[in-house]
């Protein structure tokens, strides 16, 4: 009995004394894409320190984020792929980009120095369509003159779980390769013609690293932090570029984000001279009618746009270009939430 | 119930109703899960058909064409293979622990088995991905390919690229996870063999092997079978351990060295990013199939266990 009473007292104390109970600080709730989660939580930490406003972000996946904002259970949703204007209108949502990320093909080719293998959209598409099966295929050799390519099988590694990374990568293949567009298409999960599936970036990375002849794709941040052997890709302008902050910035700058379409845009096959061809923005979704909450969310991202670029870079994200930030602010103003 | 409780004290009555309530809650939850699964999957049932969905091997989220055949196939193969490995090993462990091992070893081995059962499945998944899969892909599978690959028909089972992310590796992980169930249930039922039976057998000159084969195992058949069914249920529903090492590929392949998918692996991998209503509904449809499948398996097993009891009692 005594123990039970003590327990009760402890529970009562916990409920009344905990910061979340009773007179809680102001809280914003968001849910969605897992890709920007480390950045949003890092921004939220500093924002809370500065203004005492808490931002809870649950990384439950883009699909879940969209569902939750559609059913209005969170203050904002987050998605790795842009929602179309029609879908936004149907559920009366607003959308704006928050930060830029991208995808990097990574390889494990014996005898090739990391970061030197050159590929273009067509060879990449053919490899994933099983048209090219060996590393010394003439099509790859033509892009890499003077390099001795091994006669080993290409083992394709893709994501086994649905993912925004896959969405950006398949969007790139579908944009640049009509065969891919007609037979497979683009999405967070697709019917892969070949390859083995790894769960998460770490699953793909671990398989590429351990499998001779492996070729996979991972998030830029993941590839950079783990110093994976990336490839050089030929972009639309015809230059071979390497994935770096600069080439992602170039892609972001050349992106066609149109506020009238709620910024619906992919950053694949960007036309810039030094653009990395497989990039994409991650988006925030708001419920149109909740003006008060939206103002608070906009205020948070406005603060993050002004003060959060360094943190974004530290975590290997690419901040939005200033011109795009200005466009987003105009969009907020036009919708009465800024 | 009132008839049951006539003449009893009110405390008994309260106690009985509370336990009854607890028992009925289980049925209610079961029913609730079933109803919500059916409701959520109605979109998919209407489009693909409740049964034709099970025989279609399509799985194309982009074109929104879904079918469960590949996932059901993978579930069946990995579960069967896991039991194929685990049942003999589990029984072997139980025989050793109960009949052969010296007393000083019994406790240690028993504790080790129970510890094996306590490891969370996500840990098996990580271990499978980072340790077991490379070992299988680089050493074990090429070796097996060398031995069995040349045999006609059987060779097909061992063909293809050995990557370590495949049905074979998954079955091995699963079998390690279910061995403790089989072993501990079998051990308990072996222990229940009356020692008078065993001693009589020894008395008429039976060897230890003969006693185990002709007395202990026949006597505890039911318990061993029960253990196997328990592990069947676990293997059918296991998610995280295989999600990492099965590759979630929706192609039906006869080679054990190819990636595949089970129902739970599909759910774990694709649920979070299923962004269209049809996609989500198809995943619910898969869950409904697994629910029914597990229910039928356990019901059939229960039926056999009960029948065996009657035989045994006769």
């Amino acid at each position: 009995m005594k123990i039970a009473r003590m327990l009760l007292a402890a529970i009562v104390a916990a409920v009344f004394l905990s910061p979340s109970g009773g007179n809680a600080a102001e809280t914003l709730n968001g849910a969605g894409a897992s890709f920007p989660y480390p950045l949003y939580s890092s921004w939220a930490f500093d924002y809370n320190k500065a203004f005492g406003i808490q931002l809870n972000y649950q990384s439950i996946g883009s699909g879940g984020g969209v569902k939750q904002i559609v059913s209005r259970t969170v203050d904002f949703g987050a998605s790795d792929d842009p929602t179309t204007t029609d879908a936004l209108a149907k559920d009366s949502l607003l959308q704006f980009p928050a930060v830029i990320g991208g995808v990097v093909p990574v390889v494990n080719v014996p005898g090739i120095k990391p970061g030197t293998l050159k590929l273009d959209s067509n060879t990449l598409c053919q490899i994933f369509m099983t048209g090219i099966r060996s590393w010394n295929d003439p099509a790859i050799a033509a892009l890499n003159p003077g390099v001795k390519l091994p006669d080993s099988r290409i083992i394709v590694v893709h994501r086994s779980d649905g993912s925004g990374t896959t969405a950006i990568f398949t969007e790139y293949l579908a944009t640049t390769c009509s065969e891919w567009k007609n037979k497979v298409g683009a999405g967070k999960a697709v019917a892969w013609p070949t390859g083995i599936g790894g769960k998460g970036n770490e699953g793909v990375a671990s398989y590429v690293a351990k499998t001779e002849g492996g070729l996979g794709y991972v998030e830029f941040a993941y590839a950079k932090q783990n110093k994976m052997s990336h490839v050089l890709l030929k972009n639309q302008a015809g230059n071979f570029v390497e994935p770096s902050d600069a080439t992602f910035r170039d892609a972001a700058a050349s992106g066609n984000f149109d506020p009238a379409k709620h910024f619906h845009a992919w950053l694949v096959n960007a036309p810039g001279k030094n653009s990395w061809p497989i990039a994409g923005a991650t988006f925030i979704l708001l419920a149109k009618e909740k003006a008060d909450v939206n103002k608070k969310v906009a205020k948070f991202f406005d603060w993050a746009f002004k003060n959060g670029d360094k943190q974004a870079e530290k975590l290997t994200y690419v901040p939005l270009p200033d011109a795009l930030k200005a466009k987003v602010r105009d969009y907020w103003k036009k919708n009465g939430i800024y | 119930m009132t008839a049951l409780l006539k003449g009893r004290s009110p405390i008994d009555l309260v106690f009985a109703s509370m336990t009854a309530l607890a028992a009925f809650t289980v049925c209610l939850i079961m029913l609730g899960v079933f109803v919500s699964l059916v409701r959520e999957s109605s979109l998919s049932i209407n489009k693909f058909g409740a049964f034709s969905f099970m025989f279609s091997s399509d799985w194309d989220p982009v074109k929104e064409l879904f079918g469960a055949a590949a996932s059901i196939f993978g579930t069946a193969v990995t579960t069967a293979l896991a039991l194929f490995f685990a049942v003999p090993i589990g029984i072997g462990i139980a025989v050793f622990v109960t009949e052969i091992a010296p007393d000083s070893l019994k406790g240690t081995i028993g504790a080790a088995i129970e510890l094996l059962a306590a490891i969370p499945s996500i840990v098996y998944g990580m271990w499978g991905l980072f340790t077991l899969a490379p070992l299988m892909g680089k050493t074990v599978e090429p070796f097996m390919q060398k031995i069995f690959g040349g045999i006609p028909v059987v060779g097909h089972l061992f063909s293809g690229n050995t990557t370590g992310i495949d049905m074979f590796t998954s079955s091995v992980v699963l079998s390690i996870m279910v061995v403790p169930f089989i072993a501990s249930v079998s051990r308990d039922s072996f222990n229940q063999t009356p020692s008078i039976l065993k001693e009589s057998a020894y008395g008429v000159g039976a060897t230890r092997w003969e006693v185990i084969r002709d007395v202990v195992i026949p006597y505890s058949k039911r318990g061993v079978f029960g253990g196997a069914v328990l592990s069947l249920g676990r293997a059918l529903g296991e998610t995280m351990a295989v999600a990492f090492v099965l590759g979630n590929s929706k192609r039906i392949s006869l080679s054990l060295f190819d990636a595949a998918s089970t129902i739970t692996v599909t759910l774990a991998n694709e649920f979070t990013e299923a962004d269209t209503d049809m996609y989500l509904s198809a995943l619910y449809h898969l869950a409904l199939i697994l629910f029914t499948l597990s229910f039928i398996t356990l019901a059939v097993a229960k039926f056999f266990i009960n029948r065996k009891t009657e035989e045994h009692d006769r």
Side-chain angles (χ1 to χ4, degrees), chain A:
Chain A
M1 241 4 179
K2 204 171 165 198
I3 292 173
R5 210 169 291 156
M6 272 164 64
L7 212 63
L8 191 71
I11 291 169
V12 170
V15 168
F16 281 97
L17 299 180
S18 73
S20 58
N23 55 345
E26 213 175 331
T27 305
L28 289 172
N29 287 305
S34 51
F35 157 69
Y37 168 69
L39 180 61
Y40 292 170
S41 34
S42 154
W43 280 346
F45 180 77
D46 286 359
Y47 193 66
N48 188 20
K49 262 201 314 206
F51 300 96
I53 296 174
Q54 222 169 15
L55 186 124
N56 295 326
Y57 182 74
Q58 305 165 37
S59 77
I60 55 170
S62 307
V66 175
K67 280 231 142 53
Q68 297 229 332
I69 189 67
V70 167
S71 57
R72 307 297 198 252
T73 49
V74 287
D75 298 330
F76 68 92
S79 172
D80 274 346
D81 55 343
T83 308
T84 58
T85 317
D86 290 347
L88 291 168
K90 194 183 116 225
D91 296 310
S92 89
L93 296 174
L94 300 172
Q95 174 177 259
F96 62 88
V99 69
I100 306 235
V103 178
V104 175
V106 291
V107 292
N108 175 1
V109 193
I112 301 285
K113 232 174 84 193
T116 57
L117 188 77
K118 292 176 181 168
L119 292 177
D120 62 6
S121 59
N122 189 41
T123 49
L124 211 52
C125 173
Q126 284 307 314
I127 291 169
F128 276 82
M129 287 300 318
T130 71
I132 296 178
R133 289 166 183 274
S134 167
W135 280 113
N136 62 358
D137 190 278
I140 301 177
L143 294 173
N144 294 277
V147 179
K148 201 177 166 332
L149 293 156
D151 177 23
S152 69
R153 274 196 56 151
I154 301 178
I155 298 186
V156 168
V157 187
H158 53 73
R159 287 285 287 267
S160 65
D161 48 339
S163 159
T165 311
T166 301
I168 294 175
F169 186 70
T170 51
E171 184 69 31
Y172 169 68
L173 290 181
T175 309
T176 54
C177 173
S178 58
E179 194 186 350
W180 185 270
K181 191 176 178 184
N182 296 331
K183 287 190 182 150
V184 184
K188 288 172 186 162
V190 299
W192 296 98
T194 182
I196 56 175
K199 187 162 164 49
N201 282 306
E202 63 282 6
V204 171
S206 137
Y207 269 88
V208 171
K210 281 170 187 159
T211 313
E212 243 174 50
L215 165 70
Y217 60 91
V218 295
E219 256 165 31
F220 170 53
Y222 193 87
K224 196 171 166 188
Q225 280 155 12
N226 293 282
K227 301 194 175 55
M228 301 197 62
S229 167
H230 58 79
V231 303
L232 303 177
L233 268 183
K234 194 176 184 176
N235 63 15
Q236 201 187 337
N239 298 321
F240 285 99
V241 285
E242 124 178 300
S244 70
D245 292 327
T247 54
F248 273 95
R249 257 175 221 284
D250 203 85
S254 67
N256 181 25
F257 289 101
D258 183 358
K261 287 197 222 153
H262 303 278
F263 302 99
H264 180 282
W266 293 91
L267 285 181
V268 294
N269 208 24
K273 214 173 98 213
N274 290 312
S275 293
W276 178 254
I278 324 176
T282 181
F283 296 86
I284 298 295
L285 295 164
L286 299 171
K288 218 173 198 166
E289 74 284 356
K290 289 191 189 170
D292 284 350
V293 172
N294 292 347
K295 269 182 196 153
K296 287 173 194 159
V297 177
K299 213 175 136 202
F300 169 77
F301 281 100
D302 182 46
W303 172 88
F305 286 169
K306 276 181 197 142
N307 305 293
D309 284 2
K310 266 222 177 72
Q311 240 160 324
E313 280 161 9
K314 216 170 89 192
L315 294 166
T316 30
Y317 296 85
V318 181
L320 300 187
D322 288 336
L324 183 52
K325 284 178 183 169
K327 268 197 215 171
V328 172
R329 288 191 181 105
D330 282 347
Y331 174 79
W332 288 338
K333 243 177 238 155
K334 230 183 85 206
N335 286 285
I337 57 170
Y338 183 62

Side-chain angles (χ1 to χ4, degrees), chain B residues 192-203:
Chain B
Q192 277 165 13
T193 316
S195 46
I196 193 157
L197 278 185
K198 284 194 276 181
E199 273 153 31
S200 325
Y202 282 124

Side-chain angles (χ1 to χ4, degrees), chain B residues 185-304:
Chain B
V185 174
S186 309
R187 181 190 58 182
D188 292 347
S189 34
F190 286 171
N191 274 335
Q192 277 165 13
T193 316
S195 46
I196 193 157
L197 278 185
K198 284 194 276 181
E199 273 153 31
S200 325
Y202 282 124
V204 296
T207 62
R208 185 183 264 173
W209 162 238
E210 282 167 339
V211 171
I212 292 168
R213 191 189 57 188
D214 296 331
V215 178
V216 177
I217 291 187
Y219 189 86
S220 33
K221 250 190 327 207
R222 197 156 60 87
V224 174
F225 190 72
V229 171
L230 259 183
S231 33
L232 178 71
R234 171 110 204 232
L236 269 182
E238 182 46 52
T239 309
M240 288 326 286
V242 280
F244 285 89
V245 289
L246 195 53
N248 196 26
S249 147
K250 296 294 184 311
R251 291 184 291 271
I252 294 181
S253 161
L254 287 182
S255 169
L256 297 177
F257 294 166
D258 266 329
S261 181
T262 69
I263 295 177
T264 51
V265 165
T266 305
L267 294 179
N269 274 312
E270 304 189 17
F271 197 72
T272 48
E273 297 288 344
D275 45 4
T276 64
D277 291 340
M278 185 56 76
Y279 194 0
L280 201 61
S281 179
L283 290 174
Y284 270 111
H285 198 166
L286 272 184
L288 179 66
I289 290 172
L290 182 64
F291 186 86
T292 322
L293 212 65
S294 310
F295 187 81
I296 293 174
T297 323
L298 289 178
V300 168
K302 265 262 153 39
F303 174 75
F304 275 108

Side-chain angles (χ1 to χ4, degrees), chain B:
Chain B
M1 205 195 304
T2 42
L4 256 169
L5 295 164
K6 207 176 253 173
R8 298 211 183 155
S9 73
I11 289 200
D12 268 4
L13 192 78
V14 169
F15 188 65
S17 351
M18 273 170 69
T19 51
L21 189 73
F24 285 125
T25 310
V26 173
C27 302
L28 214 66
I29 290 174
M30 283 281 287
L31 195 73
V33 169
F34 183 75
V35 169
S36 53
L37 282 180
V38 171
R39 220 184 47 195
E40 294 288 345
S41 54
S42 62
L43 208 62
S44 162
I45 293 175
N46 288 339
K47 185 163 176 207
F48 305 111
F51 292 100
S52 42
F53 180 74
M54 292 171 67
F55 301 104
S56 154
S57 60
D58 287 332
W59 192 269
D60 190 335
V62 178
K63 302 194 184 85
E64 299 203 350
L65 291 174
F66 299 104
S71 298
I72 293 175
F73 173 80
T75 308
V77 172
T78 50
T79 305
L81 200 61
L83 287 186
F84 176 76
F85 294 138
V87 168
I89 295 175
I91 293 178
I93 293 173
V95 166
F96 182 76
V97 170
T98 54
E99 307 294 331
I100 298 171
D103 282 346
S104 56
L105 264 182
K106 276 183 192 174
T108 323
I109 295 176
I113 294 169
E114 269 142 34
L115 272 179
L116 208 58
I119 297 175
S121 60
I122 182 78
V123 175
Y124 278 108
M126 286 155 60
W127 171 77
L129 175 62
F130 290 113
T131 311
L132 183 68
L135 180 75
M136 297 295 262
K138 285 215 171 98
T139 317
V140 179
E141 290 176 0
F143 176 72
M144 290 181 64
Q145 217 163 36
K146 225 187 258 167
I147 295 180
F148 300 111
I151 307 170
V153 186
V154 179
H156 278 294
L157 290 177
F158 304 97
S159 60
N161 262 342
T162 58
T163 54
I165 295 209
D166 49 35
M167 292 194 267
F168 187 71
T169 307
S170 305
S171 306
V172 170
V173 173
L174 275 179
S175 68
I176 296 173
M177 295 183 68
V178 299
V179 154
F181 287 85
I182 301 175
S184 57
V185 174
S186 309
R187 181 190 58 182
D188 292 347
S189 34
F190 286 171
N191 274 335
Q192 277 165 13
T193 316
S195 46
I196 193 157
L197 278 185
K198 284 194 276 181
E199 273 153 31
S200 325
Y202 282 124
V204 296
T207 62
R208 185 183 264 173
W209 162 238
E210 282 167 339
V211 171
I212 292 168
R213 191 189 57 188
D214 296 331
V215 178
V216 177
I217 291 187
Y219 189 86
S220 33
K221 250 190 327 207
R222 197 156 60 87
V224 174
F225 190 72
V229 171
L230 259 183
S231 33
L232 178 71
R234 171 110 204 232
L236 269 182
E238 182 46 52
T239 309
M240 288 326 286
V242 280
F244 285 89
V245 289
L246 195 53
N248 196 26
S249 147
K250 296 294 184 311
R251 291 184 291 271
I252 294 181
S253 161
L254 287 182
S255 169
L256 297 177
F257 294 166
D258 266 329
S261 181
T262 69
I263 295 177
T264 51
V265 165
T266 305
L267 294 179
N269 274 312
E270 304 189 17
F271 197 72
T272 48
E273 297 288 344
D275 45 4
T276 64
D277 291 340
M278 185 56 76
Y279 194 0
L280 201 61
S281 179
L283 290 174
Y284 270 111
H285 198 166
L286 272 184
L288 179 66
I289 290 172
L290 182 64
F291 186 86
T292 322
L293 212 65
S294 310
F295 187 81
I296 293 174
T297 323
L298 289 178
V300 168
K302 265 262 153 39
F303 174 75
F304 275 108
I305 291 175
N306 288 342
R307 214 177 58 176
K308 287 225 167 85
T309 330
E310 281 159 29
E311 270 169 22
H312 190 73
D313 289 345
R314 228 177 280 148

